[in-house]
């Protein structure tokens, strides 16, 4: 083999190693899976989380320190920090060049804390209403384009609504969803209304104009209502839950079969649901 061939071979190996370092992989152990869902992607996520844990422990750290703790090339650590910085999860102290946890972490932690607080504070409120009315009571929060139920108290009636805990439900076809949608910022609300609205039953509102009118009524009357819009035989009423600053952060709902939640009883249930929303809001600091 000539010198030129040897040098070319070494240069090629070095290039492959550098390329692997940039990808966050070992040249001797290529990624398996061949795509975003492969082992390399999982490894990158694991390393990114490790970076956040390192910064949480030390307060701040430089690229070299982080690379040493992760046992990776500096270029890999720098790439991970760049992604996290773009997401606002880490920030860099310009005068020292070190990184620390960014405001994005506080945003995520705050969202998680709010959910935990609502779940904890909502237990006695939901249990009292469920016992009083005999119907199922849920607390739901906005999750992108859906309402997700994070807390539930089952009613005492022999026939109760199904288990909704953890389920994502459509905003336009549920009482909780309408309450949450009615109190979202106008730009976000219009973006959601611009999408096709799925028809679940013949009573589901799928026209944006009609739904806007309903959302205005939700704000004015203080509660939202659905009768067989998501499922035949199911009716529900929901009211807003506010945080200390008055922002609507959740909806509390009462649901049950239409033969019990009929036209005669719905006004009474709506009044009790609004009172429950006000009580939970008070527990979350609203009105102090």
């Amino acid at each position: 083999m000539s010198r030129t061939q040897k040098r070319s071979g070494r240069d090629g190996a070095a290039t492959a190693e550098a390329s692997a370092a940039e990808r966050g992989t070992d040249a001797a152990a290529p990624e398996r899976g061949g795509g975003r869902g492969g082992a390399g992607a999982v490894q990158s996520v694991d390393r990114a989380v490790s970076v956040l844990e390192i910064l949480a422990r030390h307060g701040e750290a430089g690229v070299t320190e982080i690379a040493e703790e992760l046992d990776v090339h500096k270029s890999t650590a720098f790439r991970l920090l760049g992604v996290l910085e773009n997401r606002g999860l880490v920030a860099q102290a310009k005068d020292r060049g070190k990184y620390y946890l960014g405001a994005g972490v506080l945003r995520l932690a705050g969202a998680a804390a709010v959910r935990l607080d609502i779940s904890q504070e909502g237990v006695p409120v939901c249990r009292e209403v469920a016992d009083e009315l005999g119907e199922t009571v849920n607390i739901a929060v906005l999750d992108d384009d859906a309402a997700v139920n994070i807390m539930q108290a089952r009613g005492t009636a022999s026939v109760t609504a199904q288990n909704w805990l953890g389920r994502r439900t459509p905003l336009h076809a549920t009482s909780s969803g309408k309450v949450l949608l009615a109190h979202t910022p106008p730009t976000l609300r219009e973006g959601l209304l611009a999408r096709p609205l799925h028809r679940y039953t013949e009573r589901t509102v799928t026209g944006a104009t009609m739904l806007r009118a309903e959302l205005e009524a939700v704000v004015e009357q203080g509660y939202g209502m659905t009768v067989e819009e998501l499922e035949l035989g199911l009716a529900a009423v929901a009211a807003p839950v506010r945080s200390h600053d008055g922002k609507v952060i959740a909806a509390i709902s009462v649901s049950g079969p239409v033969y019990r939640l009929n036209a005669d009883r719905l006004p009474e249930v709506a009044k009790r649901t609004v009172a429950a929303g006000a009580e939970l809001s008070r527990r979350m600091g609203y009105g102090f």
Side-chain angles (χ1 to χ4, degrees), residues 115 119 137-141 143 146-153 162-169:
R115 291 193 179 195
S119 296
V137 181
N138 279 281
I139 296 175
V141 295
D143 186 19
V148 61
N149 294 285
I150 62 172
M151 195 272 157
Q152 178 176 270
Q162 62 180 288
N163 185 5
W164 297 96
L165 192 60
R167 283 186 56 179
R168 286 169 54 85
T169 56

Side-chain angles (χ1 to χ4, degrees), residues 22-220:
E22 286 296 325
R23 295 194 307 271
T25 60
D26 192 327
E31 290 184 27
R32 287 174 290 181
R36 289 189 174 185
V42 175
Q43 184 183 54
S44 294
V45 172
D46 182 69
R47 285 173 173 172
V49 173
S50 295
V51 170
L52 297 177
E53 291 176 339
I54 290 169
L55 295 178
R57 281 199 309 271
H58 298 298
E60 62 178 21
V63 176
T64 301
E65 300 168 73
I66 292 172
E68 288 177 354
E69 287 211 36
L70 292 177
D71 193 23
V72 298
H73 194 278
K74 281 180 64 175
S75 63
T76 299
F78 186 76
R79 176 181 61 81
L80 291 169
L81 286 163
V83 172
L84 293 171
E85 187 175 18
N86 287 338
R87 294 288 183 145
L89 299 176
V90 304
Q92 187 177 22
K94 302 302 181 182
D95 55 334
R96 299 185 303 280
K98 294 195 173 187
Y99 290 84
Y100 55 91
L101 293 177
V105 173
L106 296 176
R107 183 185 70 249
L108 296 177
V114 165
R115 291 193 179 195
L116 289 173
D117 287 345
I118 292 175
S119 296
Q120 293 168 358
E121 296 294 340
V123 170
V125 177
C126 291
R127 186 70 269 160
E128 181 181 353
V129 176
D131 290 343
E132 181 181 329
L133 299 179
E135 309 296 352
T136 298
V137 181
N138 279 281
I139 296 175
V141 295
L142 186 66
D143 186 19
D144 191 20
D145 60 349
V148 61
N149 294 285
I150 62 172
M151 195 272 157
Q152 178 176 270
R154 301 299 293 271
T156 56
S158 58
V159 178
T160 60
Q162 62 180 288
N163 185 5
W164 297 96
L165 192 60
R167 283 186 56 179
R168 286 169 54 85
T169 56
L171 297 176
H172 69 288
T174 59
S175 59
S176 292
K178 288 184 180 182
V179 167
L180 295 170
L181 189 56
H183 291 90
T184 56
T187 302
L188 176 59
R189 182 169 59 250
E190 288 304 312
L192 293 171
L193 291 178
R195 304 176 186 178
L197 300 176
H198 181 72
R199 183 179 296 280
Y200 294 91
T201 74
E202 61 180 14
R203 302 193 66 167
T204 305
V205 177
T206 58
T209 301
M210 184 175 178
L211 186 55
R212 284 192 192 94
E214 281 201 20
L215 297 179
E216 290 177 5
V218 167
V219 174
E220 291 176 6

